[in-house]
Amino acid sequence: MVDTKVISSRNKIDYKNKFEGGIFRTQTILPFLGNPITIVLDFYYDPMYVLDRFPNSKIIQANEDGSVRIEIQGNDGYGMKMWLSGQSHMVKVISPKHLRDYLIQDMKDALKLYGVEMKSD
């Protein structure tokens, strides 16, 4: 770089609104931004898989069907949606409802690619 100039220094960001990469890494899998949310899910495989990926997550209860209910401090960005979709039969989202609805529609759309039509409720 040659002859750099500061155009404006008036665009100050409040300290509380600064981006925090460390928190971001614990909330998502891939680098997609989203709003912080609490996700509750039932996981049907080794819970360490989730606990290792999301260090701020915690096991809420063991379910009778062998799954474990886990609470995750995550975000609603596309990276989280992709991760949840990738878990397929190992995960059931309990809340928030909009994330649960997204996954249900995503699964229906995937089945249509294979010519499998779902009956309407």
Side-chain angles (χ1 to χ4, degrees):
M1 287 193 257
V2 178
D3 196 27
T4 59
K5 296 178 185 175
V6 175
I7 295 173
S8 174
S9 61
R10 287 184 259 153
N11 297 331
K12 302 279 185 195
I13 297 174
D14 292 336
Y15 183 77
K16 67 178 183 164
N17 295 326
K18 285 189 176 183
F19 178 79
E20 295 189 43
I23 292 174
F24 177 68
R25 274 192 304 275
T26 65
Q27 291 180 343
T28 190
I29 307 322
L30 303 167
F32 294 100
L33 296 174
N35 297 313
I37 59 172
T38 299
I39 302 165
V40 178
L41 54 84
D42 289 345
F43 200 69
Y44 293 85
Y45 193 66
D46 185 354
M48 290 308 296
Y49 183 71
V50 178
L51 299 175
D52 284 346
R53 182 60 203 106
F54 299 98
N56 296 327
S57 61
K58 61 183 175 185
I59 295 174
I60 299 172
Q61 70 186 40
N63 298 324
E64 290 182 16
D65 62 3
S67 67
V68 178
R69 185 151 296 174
I70 301 174
E71 181 180 273
I72 299 172
Q73 299 304 315
N75 71 45
D76 62 358
Y78 189 63
M80 179 61 76
K81 292 173 181 174
M82 286 175 46
W83 182 81
L84 288 167
S85 292
Q87 306 318 303
S88 65
H89 67 282
M90 295 184 299
V91 66
K92 177 181 177 183
V93 174
I94 306 303
S95 69
K97 185 180 181 322
H98 74 275
L99 192 55
R100 178 184 172 97
D101 292 345
Y102 170 86
L103 289 172
I104 291 169
Q105 188 60 51
D106 189 52
M107 288 183 261
K108 287 179 179 179
D109 292 344
L111 287 172
K112 285 180 188 175
L113 294 174
Y114 293 94
V116 178
E117 293 291 330
M118 300 296 299
K119 294 180 182 180
S120 299
D121 294 333

